[in-house]
PDB file of all heavy atoms in Angstrom:
ATOM      1  N   ALA A 167       2.775  56.774 -19.710  1.00  0.00           N
ATOM      2  CA  ALA A 167       3.636  57.054 -20.898  1.00  0.00           C
ATOM      3  C   ALA A 167       4.153  58.479 -20.907  1.00  0.00           C
ATOM      4  O   ALA A 167       5.219  58.753 -21.486  1.00  0.00           O
ATOM      5  CB  ALA A 167       2.873  56.762 -22.174  1.00  0.00           C
ATOM      6  N   ASN A 168       3.447  59.401 -20.232  1.00  0.00           N
ATOM      7  CA  ASN A 168       3.872  60.790 -20.205  1.00  0.00           C
ATOM      8  C   ASN A 168       4.854  61.095 -19.064  1.00  0.00           C
ATOM      9  O   ASN A 168       5.300  62.246 -18.899  1.00  0.00           O
ATOM     10  CB  ASN A 168       2.668  61.726 -20.122  1.00  0.00           C
ATOM     11  CG  ASN A 168       1.811  61.681 -21.348  1.00  0.00           C
ATOM     12  OD1 ASN A 168       2.329  61.758 -22.463  1.00  0.00           O
ATOM     13  ND2 ASN A 168       0.503  61.596 -21.197  1.00  0.00           N
ATOM     14  N   HIS A 169       5.140  60.073 -18.294  1.00  0.00           N
ATOM     15  CA  HIS A 169       6.104  60.182 -17.182  1.00  0.00           C
ATOM     16  C   HIS A 169       5.727  61.300 -16.189  1.00  0.00           C
ATOM     17  O   HIS A 169       6.589  62.069 -15.761  1.00  0.00           O
ATOM     18  CB  HIS A 169       7.541  60.412 -17.721  1.00  0.00           C
ATOM     19  CG  HIS A 169       7.967  59.337 -18.705  1.00  0.00           C
ATOM     20  ND1 HIS A 169       8.184  58.043 -18.324  1.00  0.00           N
ATOM     21  CD2 HIS A 169       8.171  59.393 -20.041  1.00  0.00           C
ATOM     22  CE1 HIS A 169       8.533  57.326 -19.387  1.00  0.00           C
ATOM     23  NE2 HIS A 169       8.525  58.114 -20.447  1.00  0.00           N
ATOM     24  N   PHE A 170       4.498  61.377 -15.854  1.00  0.00           N
ATOM     25  CA  PHE A 170       4.071  62.347 -14.827  1.00  0.00           C
ATOM     26  C   PHE A 170       4.628  61.953 -13.470  1.00  0.00           C
ATOM     27  O   PHE A 170       4.708  60.776 -13.138  1.00  0.00           O
ATOM     28  CB  PHE A 170       2.540  62.411 -14.757  1.00  0.00           C
ATOM     29  CG  PHE A 170       1.877  63.000 -15.972  1.00  0.00           C
ATOM     30  CD1 PHE A 170       0.999  62.238 -16.737  1.00  0.00           C
ATOM     31  CD2 PHE A 170       2.122  64.300 -16.337  1.00  0.00           C
ATOM     32  CE1 PHE A 170       0.392  62.760 -17.854  1.00  0.00           C
ATOM     33  CE2 PHE A 170       1.522  64.835 -17.473  1.00  0.00           C
ATOM     34  CZ  PHE A 170       0.646  64.076 -18.238  1.00  0.00           C
ATOM     35  N   GLU A 171       5.028  62.946 -12.699  1.00  0.00           N
ATOM     36  CA  GLU A 171       5.508  62.678 -11.335  1.00  0.00           C
ATOM     37  C   GLU A 171       4.295  62.632 -10.425  1.00  0.00           C
ATOM     38  O   GLU A 171       3.805  63.670  -9.979  1.00  0.00           O
ATOM     39  CB  GLU A 171       6.501  63.752 -10.914  1.00  0.00           C
ATOM     40  CG  GLU A 171       7.784  63.702 -11.732  1.00  0.00           C
ATOM     41  CD  GLU A 171       8.830  64.697 -11.198  1.00  0.00           C
ATOM     42  OE1 GLU A 171       8.578  65.298 -10.118  1.00  0.00           O
ATOM     43  OE2 GLU A 171       9.855  64.862 -11.860  1.00  0.00           O
ATOM     44  N   LEU A 172       3.833  61.432 -10.158  1.00  0.00           N
ATOM     45  CA  LEU A 172       2.598  61.221  -9.408  1.00  0.00           C
ATOM     46  C   LEU A 172       2.830  61.086  -7.907  1.00  0.00           C
ATOM     47  O   LEU A 172       1.892  60.946  -7.152  1.00  0.00           O
ATOM     48  CB  LEU A 172       1.869  59.979  -9.926  1.00  0.00           C
ATOM     49  CG  LEU A 172       1.530  60.000 -11.443  1.00  0.00           C
ATOM     50  CD1 LEU A 172       0.969  58.637 -11.875  1.00  0.00           C
ATOM     51  CD2 LEU A 172       0.563  61.101 -11.754  1.00  0.00           C
ATOM     52  N   GLY A 173       4.090  61.132  -7.491  1.00  0.00           N
ATOM     53  CA  GLY A 173       4.408  61.085  -6.082  1.00  0.00           C
ATOM     54  C   GLY A 173       4.768  59.674  -5.626  1.00  0.00           C
ATOM     55  O   GLY A 173       4.770  58.719  -6.393  1.00  0.00           O
ATOM     56  N   CYS A 174       5.063  59.574  -4.337  1.00  0.00           N
ATOM     57  CA  CYS A 174       5.450  58.308  -3.731  1.00  0.00           C
ATOM     58  C   CYS A 174       4.451  57.956  -2.607  1.00  0.00           C
ATOM     59  O   CYS A 174       3.994  58.816  -1.861  1.00  0.00           O
ATOM     60  CB  CYS A 174       6.868  58.350  -3.143  1.00  0.00           C
ATOM     61  SG  CYS A 174       8.167  58.509  -4.369  1.00  0.00           S
ATOM     62  N   MET A 175       4.170  56.657  -2.498  1.00  0.00           N
ATOM     63  CA  MET A 175       3.302  56.168  -1.423  1.00  0.00           C
ATOM     64  C   MET A 175       4.061  56.123  -0.130  1.00  0.00           C
ATOM     65  O   MET A 175       5.293  56.283  -0.081  1.00  0.00           O
ATOM     66  CB  MET A 175       2.749  54.791  -1.819  1.00  0.00           C
ATOM     67  CG  MET A 175       1.942  54.825  -3.122  1.00  0.00           C
ATOM     68  SD  MET A 175       1.409  53.167  -3.623  1.00  0.00           S
ATOM     69  CE  MET A 175       0.280  52.762  -2.297  1.00  0.00           C
ATOM     70  N   GLN A 176       3.346  55.891   0.956  1.00  0.00           N
ATOM     71  CA  GLN A 176       3.982  55.899   2.277  1.00  0.00           C
ATOM     72  C   GLN A 176       5.069  54.846   2.416  1.00  0.00           C
ATOM     73  O   GLN A 176       6.009  55.013   3.187  1.00  0.00           O
ATOM     74  CB  GLN A 176       2.905  55.689   3.351  1.00  0.00           C
ATOM     75  CG  GLN A 176       1.996  56.910   3.580  1.00  0.00           C
ATOM     76  CD  GLN A 176       1.053  56.734   4.715  1.00  0.00           C
ATOM     77  OE1 GLN A 176       0.897  55.639   5.246  1.00  0.00           O
ATOM     78  NE2 GLN A 176       0.389  57.828   5.115  1.00  0.00           N
ATOM     79  N   ASP A 177       4.951  53.757   1.669  1.00  0.00           N
ATOM     80  CA  ASP A 177       5.985  52.703   1.736  1.00  0.00           C
ATOM     81  C   ASP A 177       7.171  52.988   0.830  1.00  0.00           C
ATOM     82  O   ASP A 177       8.068  52.176   0.692  1.00  0.00           O
ATOM     83  CB  ASP A 177       5.395  51.345   1.397  1.00  0.00           C
ATOM     84  CG  ASP A 177       4.860  51.244  -0.045  1.00  0.00           C
ATOM     85  OD1 ASP A 177       5.037  52.229  -0.826  1.00  0.00           O
ATOM     86  OD2 ASP A 177       4.278  50.220  -0.399  1.00  0.00           O
ATOM     87  N   GLY A 178       7.165  54.168   0.183  1.00  0.00           N
ATOM     88  CA  GLY A 178       8.289  54.589  -0.629  1.00  0.00           C
ATOM     89  C   GLY A 178       8.126  54.257  -2.093  1.00  0.00           C
ATOM     90  O   GLY A 178       8.975  54.649  -2.928  1.00  0.00           O
ATOM     91  N   THR A 179       7.060  53.551  -2.494  1.00  0.00           N
ATOM     92  CA  THR A 179       6.851  53.157  -3.883  1.00  0.00           C
ATOM     93  C   THR A 179       6.483  54.379  -4.723  1.00  0.00           C
ATOM     94  O   THR A 179       5.498  55.065  -4.403  1.00  0.00           O
ATOM     95  CB  THR A 179       5.729  52.098  -3.992  1.00  0.00           C
ATOM     96  OG1 THR A 179       6.076  50.970  -3.210  1.00  0.00           O
ATOM     97  CG2 THR A 179       5.550  51.672  -5.440  1.00  0.00           C
ATOM     98  N   ALA A 180       7.220  54.618  -5.775  1.00  0.00           N
ATOM     99  CA  ALA A 180       6.907  55.698  -6.691  1.00  0.00           C
ATOM    100  C   ALA A 180       5.810  55.270  -7.628  1.00  0.00           C
ATOM    101  O   ALA A 180       5.845  54.167  -8.189  1.00  0.00           O
ATOM    102  CB  ALA A 180       8.157  56.113  -7.460  1.00  0.00           C
ATOM    103  N   LEU A 181       4.782  56.120  -7.788  1.00  0.00           N
ATOM    104  CA  LEU A 181       3.685  55.789  -8.695  1.00  0.00           C
ATOM    105  C   LEU A 181       4.106  55.925 -10.146  1.00  0.00           C
ATOM    106  O   LEU A 181       4.727  56.895 -10.521  1.00  0.00           O
ATOM    107  CB  LEU A 181       2.473  56.678  -8.439  1.00  0.00           C
ATOM    108  CG  LEU A 181       1.775  56.571  -7.089  1.00  0.00           C
ATOM    109  CD1 LEU A 181       0.415  57.260  -7.157  1.00  0.00           C
ATOM    110  CD2 LEU A 181       1.588  55.126  -6.687  1.00  0.00           C
ATOM    111  N   GLY A 182       3.727  54.929 -10.935  1.00  0.00           N
ATOM    112  CA  GLY A 182       3.991  54.992 -12.370  1.00  0.00           C
ATOM    113  C   GLY A 182       2.866  54.339 -13.109  1.00  0.00           C
ATOM    114  O   GLY A 182       1.722  54.846 -13.090  1.00  0.00           O
ATOM    115  N   ASP A 183       3.080  53.203 -13.747  1.00  0.00           N
ATOM    116  CA  ASP A 183       2.022  52.434 -14.375  1.00  0.00           C
ATOM    117  C   ASP A 183       1.111  51.863 -13.324  1.00  0.00           C
ATOM    118  O   ASP A 183       1.514  51.642 -12.178  1.00  0.00           O
ATOM    119  CB  ASP A 183       2.621  51.302 -15.213  1.00  0.00           C
ATOM    120  CG  ASP A 183       3.481  51.796 -16.378  1.00  0.00           C
ATOM    121  OD1 ASP A 183       3.388  53.000 -16.700  1.00  0.00           O
ATOM    122  OD2 ASP A 183       4.239  50.986 -16.929  1.00  0.00           O
ATOM    123  N   VAL A 184      -0.126  51.601 -13.700  1.00  0.00           N
ATOM    124  CA  VAL A 184      -1.084  50.961 -12.785  1.00  0.00           C
ATOM    125  C   VAL A 184      -0.701  49.505 -12.580  1.00  0.00           C
ATOM    126  O   VAL A 184      -0.359  48.792 -13.520  1.00  0.00           O
ATOM    127  CB  VAL A 184      -2.532  51.031 -13.370  1.00  0.00           C
ATOM    128  CG1 VAL A 184      -3.484  50.295 -12.499  1.00  0.00           C
ATOM    129  CG2 VAL A 184      -2.936  52.482 -13.544  1.00  0.00           C
ATOM    130  N   GLN A 185      -0.703  49.072 -11.326  1.00  0.00           N
ATOM    131  CA  GLN A 185      -0.407  47.673 -11.008  1.00  0.00           C
ATOM    132  C   GLN A 185      -1.551  46.797 -11.450  1.00  0.00           C
ATOM    133  O   GLN A 185      -2.726  47.057 -11.074  1.00  0.00           O
ATOM    134  CB  GLN A 185      -0.174  47.533  -9.487  1.00  0.00           C
ATOM    135  CG  GLN A 185       1.037  48.308  -8.964  1.00  0.00           C
ATOM    136  CD  GLN A 185       1.104  48.306  -7.442  1.00  0.00           C
ATOM    137  OE1 GLN A 185       0.427  47.530  -6.769  1.00  0.00           O
ATOM    138  NE2 GLN A 185       1.924  49.191  -6.886  1.00  0.00           N
ATOM    139  N   LEU A 186      -1.229  45.760 -12.218  1.00  0.00           N
ATOM    140  CA  LEU A 186      -2.262  44.876 -12.760  1.00  0.00           C
ATOM    141  C   LEU A 186      -2.316  43.549 -12.025  1.00  0.00           C
ATOM    142  O   LEU A 186      -1.372  43.184 -11.313  1.00  0.00           O
ATOM    143  CB  LEU A 186      -1.930  44.617 -14.230  1.00  0.00           C
ATOM    144  CG  LEU A 186      -1.837  45.854 -15.114  1.00  0.00           C
ATOM    145  CD1 LEU A 186      -1.371  45.502 -16.538  1.00  0.00           C
ATOM    146  CD2 LEU A 186      -3.175  46.621 -15.149  1.00  0.00           C
ATOM    147  N   PRO A 187      -3.444  42.837 -12.116  1.00  0.00           N
ATOM    148  CA  PRO A 187      -3.557  41.521 -11.490  1.00  0.00           C
ATOM    149  C   PRO A 187      -2.523  40.533 -12.003  1.00  0.00           C
ATOM    150  O   PRO A 187      -2.066  40.696 -13.171  1.00  0.00           O
ATOM    151  CB  PRO A 187      -4.970  41.082 -11.800  1.00  0.00           C
ATOM    152  CG  PRO A 187      -5.674  42.302 -12.271  1.00  0.00           C
ATOM    153  CD  PRO A 187      -4.652  43.193 -12.848  1.00  0.00           C
ATOM    154  N   PRO A 188      -2.130  39.530 -11.234  1.00  0.00           N
ATOM    155  CA  PRO A 188      -1.142  38.548 -11.714  1.00  0.00           C
ATOM    156  C   PRO A 188      -1.509  37.918 -13.034  1.00  0.00           C
ATOM    157  O   PRO A 188      -0.628  37.652 -13.859  1.00  0.00           O
ATOM    158  CB  PRO A 188      -1.107  37.501 -10.565  1.00  0.00           C
ATOM    159  CG  PRO A 188      -1.508  38.244  -9.356  1.00  0.00           C
ATOM    160  CD  PRO A 188      -2.520  39.279  -9.834  1.00  0.00           C
ATOM    161  N   TRP A 189      -2.814  37.682 -13.279  1.00  0.00           N
ATOM    162  CA  TRP A 189      -3.220  37.021 -14.499  1.00  0.00           C
ATOM    163  C   TRP A 189      -2.993  37.869 -15.752  1.00  0.00           C
ATOM    164  O   TRP A 189      -3.100  37.362 -16.901  1.00  0.00           O
ATOM    165  CB  TRP A 189      -4.690  36.561 -14.439  1.00  0.00           C
ATOM    166  CG  TRP A 189      -5.708  37.481 -13.903  1.00  0.00           C
ATOM    167  CD1 TRP A 189      -6.235  37.475 -12.646  1.00  0.00           C
ATOM    168  CD2 TRP A 189      -6.351  38.586 -14.576  1.00  0.00           C
ATOM    169  NE1 TRP A 189      -7.173  38.475 -12.501  1.00  0.00           N
ATOM    170  CE2 TRP A 189      -7.246  39.173 -13.669  1.00  0.00           C
ATOM    171  CE3 TRP A 189      -6.233  39.091 -15.851  1.00  0.00           C
ATOM    172  CZ2 TRP A 189      -8.053  40.271 -14.004  1.00  0.00           C
ATOM    173  CZ3 TRP A 189      -7.041  40.195 -16.220  1.00  0.00           C
ATOM    174  CH2 TRP A 189      -7.911  40.782 -15.295  1.00  0.00           C
ATOM    175  N   ALA A 190      -2.686  39.147 -15.587  1.00  0.00           N
ATOM    176  CA  ALA A 190      -2.371  39.991 -16.734  1.00  0.00           C
ATOM    177  C   ALA A 190      -0.917  39.995 -17.094  1.00  0.00           C
ATOM    178  O   ALA A 190      -0.521  40.568 -18.142  1.00  0.00           O
ATOM    179  CB  ALA A 190      -2.860  41.405 -16.481  1.00  0.00           C
ATOM    180  N   ASP A 191      -0.059  39.397 -16.249  1.00  0.00           N
ATOM    181  CA  ASP A 191       1.402  39.281 -16.525  1.00  0.00           C
ATOM    182  C   ASP A 191       2.010  40.627 -16.778  1.00  0.00           C
ATOM    183  O   ASP A 191       2.958  40.768 -17.565  1.00  0.00           O
ATOM    184  CB  ASP A 191       1.656  38.363 -17.740  1.00  0.00           C
ATOM    185  CG  ASP A 191       1.250  36.917 -17.480  1.00  0.00           C
ATOM    186  OD1 ASP A 191       1.323  36.469 -16.342  1.00  0.00           O
ATOM    187  OD2 ASP A 191       0.786  36.283 -18.442  1.00  0.00           O
ATOM    188  N   GLY A 192       1.517  41.681 -16.118  1.00  0.00           N
ATOM    189  CA  GLY A 192       2.091  43.022 -16.243  1.00  0.00           C
ATOM    190  C   GLY A 192       1.875  43.672 -17.614  1.00  0.00           C
ATOM    191  O   GLY A 192       2.463  44.689 -17.909  1.00  0.00           O
TER     192      GLY A 192
END
Side-chain angles (χ1 to χ4, degrees):
N168 292 315
H169 305 291
F170 292 118
E171 293 186 8
L172 303 173
C174 292
M175 300 175 66
Q176 288 185 349
D177 63 6
T179 302
L181 294 194
D183 297 345
V184 176
Q185 297 171 14
L186 302 175
W189 45 259
D191 296 327

